[in-house]
Amino acid sequence: MTGTHRRSTGCNAVVVRIRKHATALLIAGSLLPVTGCSDSDSDASSSKQGITQPTSGASSGSTVEAEDTAVLAAYESSWTAQTKAYSKASSAGTNLRKTTTFKALADIESDLSVMRKAGQVTTGKPAISPNVVKVTAGKLPTATIADCVDTTHWTLIDKASKKPVPLPTTRLVKYRSIASLEKWGTKWMVTKLTAQEQSC
C-alpha cells in the first residue's frame, strides 16, 4: 500500500494492512483490527490461526530457558523502540534499527511516514504479554513469539490539538500478534510482526 490518504479509508485496505503486521494498527484511522470486512489477501488464512502452545526445539533445559529469555528480551526491546518511535512519528533517536529489521522495520517506517503526513503521534504505551512458541536451531536460528497486545492505554492523537483521533467502534482493544525473529550472531532481531484478527 502507498502512503497516501487512502490508507485512512476503505475497509479492505485497513484489513489487508492489519493482516500484514501488528504495528499498522496505529494507522488507517484505527489502533486495532476492524471486523466485518473481507479481502483476498494471501495472508488472510494464516493470520487467523493463533499460536498458543509454547514449545522449544532445543534439548537442554537450561539452554532452552536462556534462549527463551534472550528472545523475549529482544522482542520487548523492539516494542520499547517502536513505542518511542510512534510517540514522535519518527525512528530517529530510537533503538528501532538495533532490534527490528526486514519486513517488520519496513512496515513500521511506512507507518511513521503516514503518521508524519497526517500530523499524528501516540501517547501512552501498549501492554504486551509475549510467550516464546518455538526456537529452532540451525545455521540461522529462528524463533516465534505469540503475544496479546493490549492497546487500551495507547492512544493515537492529533499532534497539534493533542486530541484523540476518532477510531472505529468495531476495533479490537486486545488482539493476538505473532512475531518472527532471527538470531544474527549473538543477537536476536525481530523480522516480522503479524496482527491476528482475534481478541485475547
Side-chain angles (χ1 to χ4, degrees):
M1 295 179 64
T2 64
T4 67
H5 179 66
R6 283 180 295 177
R7 281 174 176 265
S8 63
T9 61
C11 188
N12 185 59
V14 172
V15 173
V16 169
R17 186 159 176 72
I18 286 168
R19 286 177 175 172
K20 290 184 177 179
H21 65 289
T23 53
L25 304 176
L26 292 167
I27 308 304
S30 174
L31 281 170
L32 302 159
V34 179
T35 59
C37 309
S38 62
D39 62 57
S40 57
D41 187 274
S42 59
D43 293 335
S45 59
S46 60
S47 68
K48 292 182 179 179
Q49 298 175 3
I51 302 177
T52 58
Q53 286 296 327
T55 60
S56 177
S59 57
S60 169
S62 59
T63 301
V64 170
E65 291 180 7
E67 207 67 279
D68 283 3
T69 298
V71 168
L72 288 172
Y75 177 76
E76 291 168 358
S77 292
S78 175
W79 262 107
T80 297
Q82 289 177 57
T83 302
K84 184 176 181 180
Y86 281 114
S87 71
K88 56 183 182 177
S90 173
S91 61
T94 72
N95 290 324
L96 189 61
R97 292 179 180 275
K98 295 180 179 179
T99 61
T100 313
T101 190
F102 293 153
K103 181 170 175 52
L105 179 60
D107 287 341
I108 293 168
E109 290 289 6
S110 179
D111 287 349
L112 296 175
S113 176
V114 173
M115 291 176 71
R116 286 193 295 273
K117 292 177 182 178
Q120 298 172 346
V121 294
T122 60
T123 60
K125 61 182 181 179
I128 59 175
S129 305
N131 289 296
V132 176
V133 174
K134 184 178 182 181
V135 175
T136 303
K139 187 174 182 180
L140 180 63
T142 61
T144 301
I145 284 179
D147 194 5
C148 177
V149 181
D150 183 351
T151 64
T152 302
H153 303 294
W154 199 22
T155 307
L156 185 67
I157 66 169
D158 180 84
K159 187 176 180 179
S161 68
K162 307 299 181 184
K163 294 182 179 180
V165 174
L167 304 174
T169 58
T170 52
R171 71 189 189 280
L172 296 175
V173 176
K174 298 180 181 180
Y175 67 91
R176 288 184 175 278
S177 178
I178 302 299
S180 299
L181 297 88
E182 292 181 358
K183 190 174 185 181
W184 297 5
T186 59
K187 187 176 182 179
W188 285 97
M189 299 285 286
V190 175
T191 59
K192 185 177 180 181
L193 293 165
T194 307
Q196 312 289 288
E197 288 187 87
Q198 297 179 344
S199 60
C200 56

